[in-house]
Amino acid sequence: MRLLSTIKVALRALRRNALRSVLTALGIIIGVAAVIAMVSIGNGAKSQVESSIASLGQNIISVFPGNFTAGGVRGGFGTASTLTVEDALAIRNEVAGVVNLSPEMQDRAQILANGLNWNTRIQGEDISILDIRIWSVVEGAMFTEAEVRSAAKVCVIGKTVADQLFQGMDPIGQTLRIRNIPFKITGLLASKGFNYFGQDQDDTVIIPFTSHLKRLARRPFLNSIVIQATAPEQMARIQQDITDLLQQRRNGKEPDFTVRNQQELAEAATATTKTMTLLLGAIAGVSLVVGGIGIMNIMLVSVTERTREIGIRLAVGAHGSDVLLQFLTEAIVLSIMGGALGILLGIGSSQLISRLNNWPVLVSPTAVLGSFVFSAVIGVFFGFYPARKAAELDPIEALRYE
Amino acid sequence: MPAVVQLDEVHRIYESGDVPVHAVRGVTLTIGRGEFVAIMGASGSGKSTLMNLLGCLDRPTRGHYHLDGSDVSALDRNQLADIRNEKLGFVFQGFNLLARTTARENVELPMLYSRRHLSSRATHDQALKSLALVGLSDRADYFPSQLSGGQQQRVAIARALINDPQVLLADEPTGNLDSKTSVEIMGVFQQLNAQGITILMVTHELDIARYCQRNLIMRDGCVVSDVRVSARLTATEELRKLRAAEATAKLTA
Ligand SMILES: Nc1ncnc2c1ncn2[C@@H]1O[C@H](COP(=O)(O)OP(=O)(O)O)[C@@H](O)[C@H]1O
Ligand SMILES: [Mg+2]
């Protein structure tokens, strides 16, 4: 069979120049490996962001004081102090579809216990914060609703705080002093680790928001209100209702609050990693194209070197298409071989990177398949011109070539 | 004698340079089956151009060329390639073998592009048979670099013979060989011709032309002389004489 034997001829030519073939394919090998490694790292980062965002809870709407869409001087989230507990209660009572709601206070303070001290975050929350954040208490218990109502001096602490202050001792029932006010520890929170922003979520003390307002806060304003909606389809409507309600409560004054949903935050967070993945992939893609040009270059040299061989083949009856196929096969085999080696190298190096740096790496089958197909296409694209040059040679000229 | 090659007022004009070169100017020629013809002439007289036309590597600018009864002067590139593959065999001055490819594989090359598909086994056998015809059976697995010039030219002849061509064409086949090896190659040609193969060769050596049956002389693109060789040489006889002379030379030395 003419096709088969032509392919065999092409393969033999490559094998004969094994070192040169590998060097020629090196551009593609590195290009494909880079694409796969980059996309794997990008995907790993993206999935980590997504999972840490999911750990913040589902169907979450947050209300922040201040309005960054209004004109004039803009302070950003949480700089204006106009959000009140009454606003939070109004939302809970008047907006349909709200499952959980927690008015939030936040502060940092030096805390004392067991003769040690530690600087940490003090969060004032409702008990429903555990449901909202998909969190739990692993030892002891969460403070109760009654304790929230009475602004009791109780708290639950994160694992980091427990480790720093109690160093292995059981913290439950112990007393902890925040700004010299004693709080009784009722529970130890489950460990959540670091979040997307690199913040240690276990380095915290949660007290009832009422206690925070009454005993720690200098001014009676909330840092935010976090709301959990029934279903994702309800989000837009609830967001609108909250906006309308708060607007109404401000008697038509310029809005001094911002309502955001989790989706928007998640999109903003994943957008950066998506951009990063795209950018890294694009840079790697450029190296693939450079690899293709390398193949074209070597194929052109090869055609010139083998002008006489081409002349002989044409003289004994090869059609232009036979010669074209022969050289095109060489280019495609080079690039496919480069693609396959590049895939192995890419997967290997991304595993190594993940092992060494403890980064999450996600090898994407789409990237693997995509770069394989792309390298084959590069072979056809960059191999075609030299192959056609070979096929169009005049047999007499080619035979006379020195 | 039926004609295998029939040229009719064939012209070839090269238009590539500044001035057109009229390399072949109206050649009319008939060559019968089984003939052994030498084309001679000064350098630049158009021998190679005529040979390329006869070998279907090139098309006449004007005139007609009938090969084996059919007009091939107006065929396209691929049709000419098929004619070269099936009806013609080529031997070049520079041997033109593929390097790093064994003698047998070189001989098989035309079969790779043949329209009749043979199994690799049959291709193999055919190549060995062809090598046997030129007396090189024992060198089938040698590479060109391991063969002498005469042996390389024999491989080229075996390659030219593999598809059972109507005509064997050779452009200065002995041009790169010493005189004794040249005589050996002429011996191979004479032996093939005796088996009925038509041979057309270009040479500028008068004594080489005397091994052929018929001599054409070209000048300025025209055939100016067409004669039968009267005192034809036979290679076996000449080789015997050469060896005897060598022996006496050794004795007297
Ligand atoms: N490809 C070509 N383009 C232009 N002129 C050519 C070409 N090939 C040969 N010629 C010219 O045609 C003439 C005949 O050349 P050629 O057939 O090679 O002669 P010979 O083989 O008898 O030495 C010469 O004048 C040569 O310069
Ligand atoms: Mg010549």
Side-chain angles (χ1 to χ4, degrees):
Chain A
M1 184 68 217
R2 205 153 155 150
L3 180 78
L4 225 84
S5 39
T6 302
I7 291 171
K8 247 191 264 169
V9 167
L11 289 178
R12 253 180 49 174
L14 290 176
R15 226 174 321 133
R16 204 172 279 152
N17 277 315
L19 179 65
R20 175 154 134 186
S21 302
V22 171
L23 289 177
T24 306
L26 203 58
I28 296 285
I29 295 175
I30 292 171
V32 168
V35 167
I36 289 181
M38 293 306 159
V39 172
S40 300
I41 291 166
N43 277 339
K46 193 168 137 240
S47 80
Q48 195 186 31
V49 169
E50 278 166 356
S51 75
S52 73
I53 282 167
S55 82
L56 292 176
Q58 281 183 329
N59 309 336
I60 305 294
I61 296 169
S62 297
V63 183
F64 300 97
N67 182 345
F68 62 50
T69 58
V73 179
R74 290 150 30 170
F77 288 136
T79 47
S81 307
T82 52
L83 212 54
T84 62
V85 175
E86 287 70 39
D87 288 330
L89 293 177
I91 293 169
R92 174 145 67 193
N93 296 335
E94 293 174 36
V95 177
V98 172
V99 184
N100 287 305
L101 179 146
S102 177
E104 296 193 296
M105 299 289 291
Q106 258 198 39
D107 212 349
R108 287 199 78 83
Q110 204 73 20
I111 58 173
L112 290 154
N114 193 29
L116 295 166
N117 69 84
W118 181 244
N119 188 286
T120 188
R121 187 169 67 237
I122 314 293
Q123 280 178 265
E125 299 278 359
D126 186 65
I127 56 168
S128 58
I129 193 66
L130 294 191
D131 293 332
I132 294 171
R133 298 286 186 222
I134 321 172
W135 215 348
S136 62
V137 169
V138 285
E139 265 176 68
M142 185 63 177
F143 46 77
T144 64
E145 214 161 325
E147 285 167 326
V148 173
R149 242 175 284 131
S150 63
K153 292 181 277 185
V154 287
C155 67
V156 291
I157 60 174
K159 188 169 173 304
T160 304
V161 174
D163 290 345
Q164 290 295 336
L165 295 178
F166 297 99
Q167 300 178 328
M169 274 169 53
D170 183 11
I172 311 298
Q174 300 282 340
T175 301
L176 181 146
R177 302 181 80 87
I178 307 171
R179 297 212 180 106
N180 243 335
I181 304 162
F183 282 78
K184 200 177 118 219
I185 300 170
T186 66
L188 176 67
L189 288 160
S191 176
K192 264 191 130 153
F194 288 80
N195 71 5
Y196 166 62
F197 307 99
Q199 191 178 40
D200 180 3
Q201 299 176 90
D202 299 327
D203 189 6
T204 192
V205 173
I206 300 181
I207 63 175
F209 70 94
T210 47
S211 314
H212 202 295
L213 275 167
K214 186 171 168 192
R215 300 174 197 282
L216 299 177
R218 286 170 205 114
R219 294 182 301 166
F221 297 113
L222 299 175
N223 287 98
S224 60
I225 303 168
V226 54
I227 297 140
Q228 185 169 35
T230 38
E233 312 81 67
Q234 300 276 331
M235 300 279 280
R237 198 262 307 154
I238 294 174
Q239 207 173 341
Q240 190 56 50
D241 284 359
I242 292 170
T243 310
D244 293 346
L245 176 68
L246 292 180
Q247 194 57 53
Q248 186 195 323
R249 285 173 57 79
R250 276 150 183 74
N251 293 322
K253 269 187 272 176
E254 194 174 309
D256 58 355
F257 59 88
T258 304
V259 185
R260 273 290 145 100
N261 70 49
Q262 183 93 6
Q263 199 54 39
E264 290 164 349
L265 294 175
E267 271 163 16
T270 50
T272 38
T273 62
K274 249 188 223 155
T275 315
M276 188 184 76
T277 309
L278 213 69
L279 196 72
L280 291 175
I283 291 168
V286 167
S287 67
L288 254 183
V289 172
V290 172
I293 293 170
I295 286 190
M296 176 149 95
N297 185 26
I298 295 294
M299 290 307 296
L300 281 172
V301 169
S302 177
V303 167
T304 310
E305 263 182 6
R306 286 151 71 188
T307 300
R308 231 169 210 281
E309 172 193 330
I310 296 162
I312 296 168
R313 289 180 186 279
L314 291 171
V316 301
H319 288 192
S321 58
D322 294 318
V323 175
L324 183 96
L325 185 71
Q326 180 188 337
F327 281 87
L328 202 54
T329 306
E330 278 187 33
I332 295 171
V333 168
L334 274 177
S335 61
I336 284 183
M337 185 188 74
L341 287 176
I343 286 170
L344 293 181
L345 192 69
I347 293 175
S349 57
S350 52
Q351 295 301 339
L352 196 70
I353 288 167
S354 124
R355 199 88 30 93
L356 290 180
N357 301 332
N358 223 350
W359 289 351
V361 165
L362 209 74
V363 175
S364 128
T366 333
V368 170
L369 195 75
S371 49
F372 190 72
V373 171
F374 191 58
S375 56
V377 169
I378 276 184
V380 175
F381 185 80
F382 288 103
F384 190 78
Y385 174 68
R388 206 193 51 185
K389 233 185 113 174
E392 285 177 354
L393 281 177
D394 178 55
I396 300 169
E397 302 279 323
L399 280 170
R400 217 186 278 148
Y401 185 84
E402 288 302 329
Chain B
M1 218 164 13
V4 63
V5 166
Q6 175 85 54
L7 294 183
D8 247 331
E9 273 300 304
V10 163
H11 292 257
R12 178 67 173 98
I13 302 166
Y14 292 112
E15 305 272 10
S16 52
D18 302 330
V19 274
V21 178
H22 207 148
V24 170
R25 308 166 178 251
V27 169
T28 299
L29 179 66
T30 306
I31 290 164
R33 206 172 289 281
E35 278 200 277
F36 187 5
V37 182
I39 301 170
M40 294 191 294
S43 177
S45 56
K47 305 184 297 291
S48 292
T49 303
L50 184 65
M51 210 59 177
N52 290 338
L53 291 172
L54 289 167
C56 292
L57 285 163
D58 198 4
R59 271 173 299 208
T61 311
R62 248 184 292 141
H64 286 278
Y65 173 20
H66 289 264
L67 175 65
D68 198 20
S70 58
D71 191 356
V72 295
S73 24
L75 297 181
D76 69 21
R77 208 172 132 95
N78 284 345
Q79 288 168 322
L80 286 178
D82 289 336
I83 296 279
R84 291 197 294 273
N85 185 260
E86 289 160 18
K87 300 201 168 171
L88 301 168
F90 288 95
V91 178
F92 305 94
Q93 178 176 354
F95 319 139
N96 277 334
L97 299 177
L98 296 184
R100 286 183 289 181
T101 305
T102 64
R104 179 177 55 71
E105 287 165 335
N106 264 294
V107 174
E108 285 173 4
L109 194 64
M111 299 195 81
L112 184 67
Y113 302 110
S114 167
R115 279 191 293 190
R116 58 195 173 108
H117 304 304
L118 284 182
S119 68
S120 56
R121 177 87 246 153
T123 307
H124 211 102
D125 291 345
Q126 191 85 9
L128 290 177
K129 228 185 280 169
S130 204
L131 277 169
L133 273 178
V134 297
L136 267 188
S137 305
D138 54 339
R139 295 287 192 274
D141 294 321
Y142 282 52
F143 291 98
S145 56
Q146 299 169 313
L147 297 172
S148 70
Q151 287 170 330
Q152 288 187 54
Q153 195 59 300
R154 284 166 194 250
V155 174
I157 296 169
R159 178 179 65 193
L161 292 174
I162 191 148
N163 276 344
D164 279 328
Q166 301 289 321
V167 183
L168 189 66
L169 297 158
D171 193 351
E172 307 213 26
T174 61
N176 282 10
L177 301 173
D178 62 68
S179 56
K180 184 171 168 234
T181 315
S182 298
V183 177
E184 281 172 8
I185 292 299
M186 291 320 291
V188 173
F189 279 155
Q190 285 191 329
Q191 192 193 323
L192 293 170
N193 182 238
Q195 289 167 33
I197 296 172
T198 311
I199 302 175
L200 256 152
M201 61 175 275
V202 166
T203 183
H204 57 257
E205 296 164 85
L206 255 166
D207 46 338
I208 289 294
R210 284 175 63 203
Y211 290 91
C212 306
Q213 299 168 347
R214 182 178 166 192
N215 286 355
L216 303 177
I217 298 175
M218 285 190 77
R219 191 182 302 144
D220 295 333
C222 298
V223 176
V224 292
S225 153
D226 183 352
V227 292
R228 309 236 123 241
V229 177
S230 46
R232 198 174 167 210
L233 299 176
T234 53
T236 39
E237 177 65 16
E238 294 307 307
L239 280 172
R240 198 184 52 72
K241 279 191 211 157
L242 267 173
R243 271 192 290 272
E246 264 173 29
T248 41
K250 249 182 218 149
L251 278 177
T252 53

